[in-house]
Every structure is written in C-alpha cells, then in structure tokens.
Amino acid sequence: MTKVIGRAGFHNTGTTSLQQQLIRLRKSLKPYMTYYGKNDCIAPGTHARKYAQKPFWHRRILFRRAFRRFLAGIPDDPVIFISRETLAGTMPGHRDWRGRVIHDYAHSAVPIGREIIRELRRRFGP
C-alpha cells in the first residue's frame, strides 16, 4: 500500500523552503520516501493555476487529465510526497479572467483538492 503526503500550497507559507530542503535531502530520504516537487509536477500545477483564473468545467477536466498522467508516470513507492504550490490555485492578488483580484483560494482549492483526492484514490487505492 502506498501512503501519499500532499502539500498543495498555499503560497508564502514556507513551501519553497520545505521544497529546497527536500530536494537537497532527496538522496538521503530515498529509503523513507520519494519526493515530487515543482519540476516533477509542472503540467498539473499549470492547469490548476489556469483553472483558478478561469474556473470553467473544461479547465478542471484538463487539470484532472494532467494530474492523472503525472500519477501514471510515477512508480508505486511505500511513501510519496508531492509538493507544489499551484496545486491550490493562483496566489491571491492575481487577477481572474474578468480582471477581478483573487482574494483567496476558496473557489479553486476545494474543487482541485477533490480532483487530487479522486485521482490519488484511483491510482493508489483508498
């Protein structure tokens, strides 16, 4: 059974420091867990950010497909750690498709989070 630890964001909460340490210690941590970060998870992060800016149903499907492809390309390891800020959406302060300022993650993080959980269960089981 695979245990998955996900760190989807949020921006400006120490994620970059955590990711830098995990990259630096990747070899040492290999017996205990496999780490996938920003450079390993580019397409899903991009699609999540785009969904947050334009939360249309088809963009959510594009995210799901990108995340599914990402998961299909990684091996079954006992512990997997995935960390990517944009998996929570777009950083507050950026603008949406109407030009309005995005104030929080509420409209994107919950739907994207549901997709992440669904795809993780599909790939690794309950």
Side-chain angles (χ1 to χ4, degrees):
M1 183 169 113
T2 299
K3 180 179 183 176
V4 180
I5 302 165
R7 174 75 168 86
F10 299 105
H11 296 85
N12 298 322
T13 59
T15 305
T16 302
S17 297
L18 173 65
Q19 290 168 340
Q20 288 171 344
Q21 283 296 90
L22 289 169
I23 289 168
R24 191 175 69 76
L25 298 171
R26 191 175 243 164
K27 274 186 176 178
S28 301
L29 292 171
K30 185 65 179 158
Y32 309 103
M33 71 171 204
T34 304
Y35 169 66
Y36 297 96
K38 179 179 180 177
N39 293 332
D40 305 305
C41 194
I42 293 172
T46 300
H47 284 288
R49 183 178 41 77
K50 288 180 179 182
Y51 172 79
Q53 291 171 320
K54 295 181 182 179
F56 304 135
W57 64 270
H58 66 279
R59 287 183 179 266
R60 191 166 159 183
I61 291 170
L62 292 172
F63 167 76
R64 183 186 313 143
R65 288 179 184 163
F67 194 66
R68 187 177 289 175
R69 279 191 303 273
F70 162 70
L71 292 176
I74 63 176
D76 290 348
D77 287 322
V79 179
I80 293 172
F81 191 112
I82 301 169
S83 179
R84 178 90 162 105
E85 294 97 324
T86 55
L87 291 179
T90 297
M91 184 166 57
H94 290 245
R95 297 193 179 273
D96 67 10
W97 65 283
R98 297 167 295 202
R100 297 181 185 163
V101 174
I102 297 171
H103 295 285
D104 56 41
Y105 291 95
H107 73 284
S108 62
V110 172
I112 292 296
R114 287 186 182 128
E115 295 293 340
I116 290 169
I117 291 168
R118 182 180 300 127
E119 290 304 314
L120 287 171
R121 286 181 176 153
R122 182 179 176 277
R123 170 68 171 81
F124 298 109

